[in-house]
Amino acid sequence: MGDSKSIIQILHNLEQRLLQPEVRHSREELEKLLADEFVEFGSAGRVYDRQSIIEELGKESNARISMTDFEMVSLAPDVALVTYCAVYSEGEGESAHHSLRSSIWKKAGDTWQIVFHQGTPTKKS
């Protein structure tokens, strides 16, 4: 799968991009990052496909989402599982929401795309 340290950095940067409001609101950016077969199991139990998550993210507020405890495991050549903790906050004074997140990324040509994501609510860690 190549140099695992550089792949970890690439996938960390891509996950970080997906947490940025300007990317979450950009259909063009999301279409580059999400594979055609993308599926998400949302924190409320809803299942999203690529089109429905692009629509949902476009309606989202400009929340701040931070990421900690990022880890990666190689599942197969050019396929990786990443996990991390996320903190979602809509603004000062608002309560933060914590979740454990996992994503499966695959490399297609020179590009990494996310094929699966799940967010599971958790208590503050």
Side-chain angles (χ1 to χ4, degrees), residues 64-84:
R64 292 183 316 226
I65 307 171
S66 61
M67 179 171 58
T68 61
D69 303 326
F70 188 90
E71 295 187 26
M72 183 200 83
V73 175
S74 175
L75 299 177
D78 297 330
V79 178
L81 167 69
V82 300
T83 59
Y84 58 95

Side-chain angles (χ1 to χ4, degrees), residues 4-114:
S4 63
K5 287 190 186 232
S6 65
I7 294 168
I8 291 169
Q9 190 60 51
I10 289 167
L11 296 180
H12 182 275
N13 291 345
L14 290 170
E15 284 283 352
Q16 193 69 45
R17 282 187 64 211
L18 280 169
L19 300 179
Q20 303 306 312
E22 61 273 10
V23 173
R24 295 170 81 81
H25 293 156
S26 170
R27 174 175 289 278
E28 182 179 342
E29 289 297 315
L30 291 172
E31 287 176 347
K32 290 178 192 173
L33 292 168
L34 277 60
D36 290 342
E37 67 273 24
F38 175 82
V39 174
E40 177 172 336
F41 294 168
S43 60
R46 183 170 171 201
V47 179
Y48 298 91
D49 63 11
R50 182 177 190 245
Q51 186 60 38
S52 62
I53 199 65
I54 289 171
E55 290 171 12
E56 286 296 314
L57 291 175
K59 300 177 206 171
E60 192 177 61
S61 69
N62 284 329
R64 292 183 316 226
I65 307 171
S66 61
M67 179 171 58
T68 61
D69 303 326
F70 188 90
E71 295 187 26
M72 183 200 83
V73 175
S74 175
L75 299 177
D78 297 330
V79 178
L81 167 69
V82 300
T83 59
Y84 58 95
C85 299
V87 179
Y88 178 99
S89 176
E90 292 196 24
E92 290 298 316
E94 297 292 322
S95 62
H97 303 278
H98 299 259
S99 61
L100 300 175
R101 298 196 178 190
S102 60
S103 302
I104 297 176
W105 290 83
K106 72 170 186 175
K107 190 172 184 186
D110 293 333
T111 306
W112 284 92
Q113 290 186 309
I114 188 170

